[in-house]
Amino acid sequence: MAMAKPSRTRRITIADVARAADASVSTVSRVLNGIGTVDPALAERVRLAIEELGYRPSAAAQGLARGRSGTIGVLVPDLANPHFSDLVKVFSAAVRDLGARVLVMDSDEDPAVERELAEDLIRYADGLLLCAPRMPRADLAALVARGLPLLVANRQEPGLALHSVCIDVHGGLLAVCGHLAQLGHRKVAYLAGPEGSWANRERLRALSGARSFGLEVTVLACGSLTDDGYAAGPAVLDTDATAVVAYNDFVALGLLSRLTELGVRVPGDLSLTGFDEIDLARYSSPPLTTVAVPRYDLGRAAGEALARLMAGEDDLESRTLPVELRVRESTGTA
Amino acid sequence: MAMAKPSRTRRITIADVARAADASVSTVSRVLNGIGTVDPALAERVRLAIEELGYRPSAAAQGLARGRSGTIGVLVPDLANPHFSDLVKVFSAAVRDLGARVLVMDSDEDPAVERELAEDLIRYADGLLLCAPRMPRADLAALVARGLPLLVANRQEPGLALHSVCIDVHGGLLAVCGHLAQLGHRKVAYLAGPEGSWANRERLRALSGARSFGLEVTVLACGSLTDDGYAAGPAVLDTDATAVVAYNDFVALGLLSRLTELGVRVPGDLSLTGFDEIDLARYSSPPLTTVAVPRYDLGRAAGEALARLMAGEDDLESRTLPVELRVRESTGTA
DNA sequence: ACGGACTGAGAAAGCGCTGTCTCATCGCCG
DNA sequence: CGGCGATGAGACAGCGCTTTCTCAGTCCGT
């Protein structure tokens, strides 16, 4: 004989609390939100009832009544990438201080999915943070037109009144180039990152700027993962470059591993740079020359910016955060 | 003269759509949810109106009316740890197929915060996934008592009817010990992970089990980060161990780096093992002997289990997923 | 002792949906 | 040709809160 399911106990509502505390629903609400004045004794009774019943206001009902959900949608291309999980972590801590929660979605680097998820997030969220969106400009514009507070991290789109916070990728890679040039390198290979990525475009822009100080750049399609860097080993050796600029630290470490296997010494035979400074960069052998990006500040800045957007300030200028070159032992004279 | 703020345009509601399509609200709802039968012509008119107005149903209103939010709460100790961000990623993809979204919170490894966030998540979510919760048993019990679908990943609590999916940490570390014993090691040092962590307790249990095949274990407090491993270098050398079992790959790689700096050869002077198999493990020099855990399967399994819990099935047995020892070059004969 | 300014607290109208109930309408069989 | 089951579609009552409005007391000045 099948045991009846324990019939999901009815939700405890504010009315239950009111009844238990012998107060009105409005009063309970007041106590809950600390709005208006309530007689201390009554308030205490209410608090007690809340405690005893284990009452928690329904987020849906609050959201509906208040007209805002207290939720911010965050869209990332790949949550498994520490760059983004770090950002989400910091951002979510930042907005929690504002009383907001974060709904994360992962587009798996697919621009089409990205648009769709963003539309879905809108239904839930009071504001949106788009991290390094790969979607076409038109989609981005459509999203902006929806009118809800929208912030973009690490992408700029000239002419599209986009509020954004960005890392100074261009400046960072320029610094890398300067460093390499100073060491006497003339020919460098660049292991390129994801196609649609703004960060990749910025790096390319810096690279072409670096021609002005005599750098000759070969661009090799690669990717953003350790495996991609490892795989790129032979291709790199096919060039006559004396230095390799990897898209990021993962790629650099993957390549470093392959080079070590192949008996190529770093920086003796080949100099190598990364980007983003992951923890392990200081711990590889040799330690990696890379660019430190202010992850924490980025998340923080995004949180603040979105807070202000949601408060109705619309005169926000976009911010670009400075980066810092970290010279270590993976780079040497040509 | 200050430009008036564009007065946040009123939300487009289902009523607007009904009006535009010259249909009733109920009909629009039917079309939206594909429930009941609607005349094809009318349905088409509705769809058109939705399209034209750019209407999106409010998640809050739907949630309130339906009695469920379509959101699942996920609580992790540290989203910056790839172990968890990977899990969240896979899990969230898994439950999206169910039409659910994921609300992530990060407790920063603080058991007290953990409890609080979990309580908050309940207000938003239809179900909860607690990842490697560090909270005391009593708090966990209180959460279970709340009655909503609750799943725990990587923690077991005997006697607490907890639905869980776990990695076979014990088995994995036992395999590591066996491997080391076979190589002739007798004295090993264990770099311990976070205090409250079940995974750490399981490792310790395996270690004490390993005494049966003659292993003598020194436990050193450490942590779960690369830096912790790096810092533990001298302490490790103070022991007379011939092999080091690190809490995870990060710790192992940190230690490896320090050992390299100190001129200690791995595995010549000291064997070293990790756990969790991060990407970089194969790319260190030497490549790291570690334990591969089925991250993907874990997320998948969690998604399925929670789906079934939410469907009312309460007879779920807990699952433990098998792991695999990956022998590489960081371990050698004693 | 009486009117005006406050203060504390309840009643009730939404918020934007869903889902049930009800009501037309229509085709069809007897 | 009347009655009956289908079928399509609207009305309406919630869902659990917030918030305005209203009202009964209080406290004071005159």
Side-chain angles (χ1 to χ4, degrees):
Chain A
M1 136 189 45
M3 177 121 158
K5 246 187 288 106
S7 74
R8 191 65 68 236
T9 49
R10 196 181 61 79
R11 194 179 223 297
I12 296 160
T13 76
I14 198 171
D16 297 322
V17 176
R19 209 169 306 123
D22 192 29
S24 77
V25 167
S26 333
T27 302
V28 176
S29 174
R30 274 183 210 112
V31 172
L32 234 35
N33 300 299
I35 280 171
T37 46
V38 176
D39 184 283
L42 218 197
E44 195 47 37
R45 264 192 357 252
V46 169
R47 260 180 237 109
L48 223 72
I50 289 176
E51 187 64 33
E52 293 211 330
L53 297 175
Y55 166 73
R56 305 277 152 182
S58 139
Q62 282 187 323
L64 186 55
R66 290 185 177 146
R68 61 202 149 69
S69 60
T71 296
I72 292 174
V74 176
L75 188 54
V76 295
D78 179 12
L79 194 58
N81 182 331
H83 188 67
F84 295 116
S85 53
D86 278 12
L87 179 57
V88 171
K89 182 183 170 97
V90 177
F91 177 77
S92 115
V95 299
R96 171 140 52 255
D97 300 344
L98 260 100
R101 286 128 201 92
V102 162
L103 200 57
V104 186
M105 296 201 184
D106 183 320
S107 67
D108 267 322
E109 305 267 2
D110 183 333
V113 170
E114 209 170 52
R115 169 69 189 277
E116 186 187 325
L117 293 183
E119 292 279 358
D120 193 40
L121 276 174
I122 289 179
R123 306 198 305 119
Y124 286 85
D126 301 333
L128 234 52
L129 172 66
L130 265 32
C131 300
R134 273 81 159 121
M135 69 179 83
R137 180 197 170 88
D139 285 359
L140 216 45
L143 244 31
V144 171
R146 286 230 161 245
L148 92 170
L150 178 67
L151 184 68
V152 175
N154 277 344
R155 167 152 175 188
Q156 284 168 338
E157 199 64 47
L160 212 62
L162 222 53
H163 300 289
S164 69
V165 294
C166 295
I167 290 292
D168 184 14
V169 173
H170 179 258
L173 206 63
L174 223 43
V176 168
C177 292
H179 170 62
L180 290 176
Q182 199 175 2
L183 289 172
H185 294 277
R186 287 299 164 260
K187 290 169 189 287
V188 315
Y190 170 58
L191 296 183
E195 271 298 323
S197 145
W198 171 83
N200 189 47
R201 288 200 297 276
E202 285 291 289
R203 282 164 172 82
L204 287 169
R205 190 160 69 84
L207 250 10
S208 76
R211 273 206 282 264
S212 70
F213 37 90
L215 241 45
E216 201 174 295
V217 182
T218 310
V219 176
L220 294 153
C222 183
S224 59
L225 308 176
T226 310
D227 289 347
D228 299 326
Y230 184 85
V236 165
L237 295 181
D238 275 354
T239 69
D240 53 354
T242 60
V244 182
V245 174
Y247 176 70
N248 64 20
D249 285 1
F250 291 105
V251 172
L253 292 179
L255 177 62
L256 179 58
S257 162
R258 185 63 168 272
L259 292 177
T260 304
E261 277 181 32
L262 296 172
V264 179
R265 286 167 315 148
V266 174
D269 302 325
L270 206 53
S271 283
L272 177 60
T273 67
F275 206 103
D276 280 351
E277 196 185 44
I278 62 173
D279 277 357
L280 279 167
R282 350 194 319 240
Y283 297 128
S284 62
S285 26
L288 198 62
T289 292
T290 185
V291 175
V293 305
R295 289 170 163 53
Y296 186 84
D297 294 346
L298 185 65
R300 202 74 218 171
E304 282 163 18
L306 207 37
R308 286 168 55 195
L309 280 175
M310 301 209 306
E313 297 180 44
D314 219 354
D315 54 337
L316 217 58
E317 79 281 22
S318 292
R319 285 183 63 187
T320 297
L321 305 178
V323 300
E324 222 171 290
L325 179 67
R326 292 262 193 277
V327 177
R328 300 216 180 84
E329 284 84 72
S330 72
T331 45
T333 51
Chain B
M1 128 191 48
M3 176 124 159
K5 248 190 282 107
S7 75
R8 191 64 70 236
T9 50
R10 197 180 60 81
R11 194 179 222 297
I12 296 159
T13 76
I14 199 172
D16 298 321
V17 176
R19 209 170 304 124
D22 191 29
S24 77
V25 167
S26 330
T27 302
V28 177
S29 174
R30 276 183 209 112
V31 172
L32 234 36
N33 300 300
I35 280 170
T37 48
V38 177
D39 184 281
L42 218 197
E44 195 47 38
R45 271 202 339 263
V46 169
R47 259 179 238 110
L48 222 73
I50 289 176
E51 187 64 32
E52 293 211 330
L53 297 174
Y55 166 74
R56 306 275 151 183
S58 140
Q62 281 188 322
L64 185 55
R66 291 187 176 142
R68 59 203 151 68
S69 61
T71 296
I72 292 175
V74 176
L75 187 55
V76 295
D78 179 13
L79 195 58
N81 182 332
H83 188 66
F84 295 115
S85 53
D86 278 12
L87 179 57
V88 170
K89 183 184 170 96
V90 177
F91 177 77
S92 118
V95 300
R96 172 141 52 252
D97 300 344
L98 260 101
R101 286 128 201 93
V102 161
L103 200 58
V104 185
M105 297 202 183
D106 183 320
S107 66
D108 268 322
E109 305 266 2
D110 184 332
V113 171
E114 209 170 52
R115 167 70 188 276
E116 187 187 325
L117 292 184
E119 292 279 358
D120 193 40
L121 275 175
I122 289 179
R123 305 198 307 120
Y124 286 84
D126 301 332
L128 235 54
L129 173 66
L130 265 33
C131 300
R134 272 82 160 120
M135 69 179 81
R137 180 197 170 88
D139 284 358
L140 215 46
L143 243 31
V144 171
R146 284 234 163 242
L148 92 170
L150 178 68
L151 184 68
V152 175
N154 276 345
R155 168 151 176 188
Q156 284 168 336
E157 200 63 49
L160 212 60
L162 224 51
H163 300 289
S164 69
V165 294
C166 295
I167 291 292
D168 184 14
V169 173
H170 179 257
L173 206 64
L174 223 42
V176 168
C177 291
H179 169 65
L180 291 175
Q182 200 176 1
L183 288 172
H185 294 278
R186 288 297 164 261
K187 291 170 188 288
V188 315
Y190 170 59
L191 296 183
E195 270 298 324
S197 146
W198 171 82
N200 188 47
R201 287 200 298 277
E202 286 291 289
R203 284 165 170 81
L204 287 169
R205 191 160 69 84
L207 250 11
S208 77
R211 274 204 282 264
S212 68
F213 37 89
L215 241 46
E216 203 175 294
V217 183
T218 310
V219 177
L220 294 152
C222 182
S224 60
L225 308 176
T226 309
D227 289 347
D228 298 326
Y230 184 87
V236 165
L237 295 181
D238 275 354
T239 69
D240 53 355
T242 60
V244 182
V245 174
Y247 176 70
N248 64 19
D249 285 2
F250 291 106
V251 172
L253 292 179
L255 177 62
L256 179 58
S257 162
R258 185 62 168 272
L259 292 177
T260 304
E261 278 181 30
L262 296 173
V264 179
R265 285 167 316 147
V266 175
D269 302 326
L270 205 53
S271 284
L272 176 59
T273 68
F275 207 104
D276 282 350
E277 194 184 45
I278 62 172
D279 278 357
L280 279 166
R282 348 193 321 240
Y283 296 126
S284 61
S285 28
L288 198 62
T289 292
T290 185
V291 175
V293 304
R295 289 171 163 54
Y296 186 83
D297 294 346
L298 185 64
R300 202 74 218 171
E304 282 162 19
L306 206 39
R308 288 167 55 194
L309 280 175
M310 302 209 306
E313 297 180 45
D314 219 353
D315 55 338
L316 217 58
E317 79 282 23
S318 292
R319 285 185 61 187
T320 296
L321 306 178
V323 300
E324 222 171 290
L325 179 66
R326 292 260 193 279
V327 176
R328 298 213 182 87
E329 284 83 74
S330 71
T331 45
T333 51

